[in-house]
Amino acid sequence: MTDFTHFNLDEVKDQAPGFGLDDFQEARFANSDSDAKDTGFSMFRIKPNQRPPFAHRHEDAEEVYLILGGSGRAKLDDEIIELKRLDAIRVAPGVTRAWEAGPDGLELLAFGPRHEGDGEIIQGWWTD
């Protein structure tokens, strides 16, 4: 491994189609593209007025999310917060989280430590 890695996120494979999620988002997990051993790094683009049908949480990993564009909302346990460009959110381990895009979509980056197998999907968690 070299001392640095340069890559473009648009060239990282979109994993959403492989999971049947491409109707409402792109999901680019850049872990192998970045050559990072201990840091997880992902980009999500949620289509306008969409939300994934699930939430997730981690037992050990703290994550930081950075809103790159668009707007929307995040549901963090029982709290819903409004999001806009360049908002950053730190989410502690154990907090269940999900995203909802506004009319212009929602583009965000996620960073955090990598803990293999440290993730739980919660289906149907954010309901109206």
Side-chain angles (χ1 to χ4, degrees):
M1 181 179 353
T2 63
D3 290 337
F4 66 90
T5 304
H6 176 225
F7 61 100
N8 184 290
L9 283 170
D10 280 325
E11 295 172 3
V12 172
K13 183 179 180 184
D14 179 9
Q15 299 290 323
F19 293 100
L21 305 176
D22 53 322
D23 284 347
F24 58 86
Q25 77 175 12
E26 290 178 27
R28 300 176 188 273
F29 301 99
N31 299 331
S32 61
D33 295 84
S34 70
D35 294 327
K37 294 188 311 185
D38 301 318
T39 304
F41 177 61
S42 304
M43 181 178 72
F44 302 93
R45 288 181 177 133
I46 303 172
K47 294 179 181 179
N49 301 312
Q50 297 290 314
R51 73 169 85 137
F54 56 84
H56 81 280
R57 66 178 160 233
H58 297 282
E59 185 174 321
D60 296 314
E62 173 182 69
E63 291 184 312
V64 175
Y65 298 90
L66 174 63
I67 307 305
L68 294 177
S71 64
R73 303 186 308 163
K75 183 175 180 187
L76 307 168
D77 283 339
D78 293 326
E79 188 168 346
I80 296 175
I81 59 172
E82 297 293 323
L83 301 171
K84 65 182 183 313
R85 184 177 175 276
L86 297 183
D87 281 351
I89 306 164
R90 181 203 55 86
V91 182
V95 174
T96 302
R97 71 228 40 195
W99 314 100
E100 177 182 66
D104 296 323
L106 183 65
E107 185 174 37
L108 59 135
L109 292 179
F111 299 90
R114 289 176 68 179
H115 300 283
E116 281 302 316
D118 177 32
E120 179 183 1
I121 301 294
I122 298 95
Q123 295 290 344
W125 181 73
W126 190 346
T127 59
D128 289 330

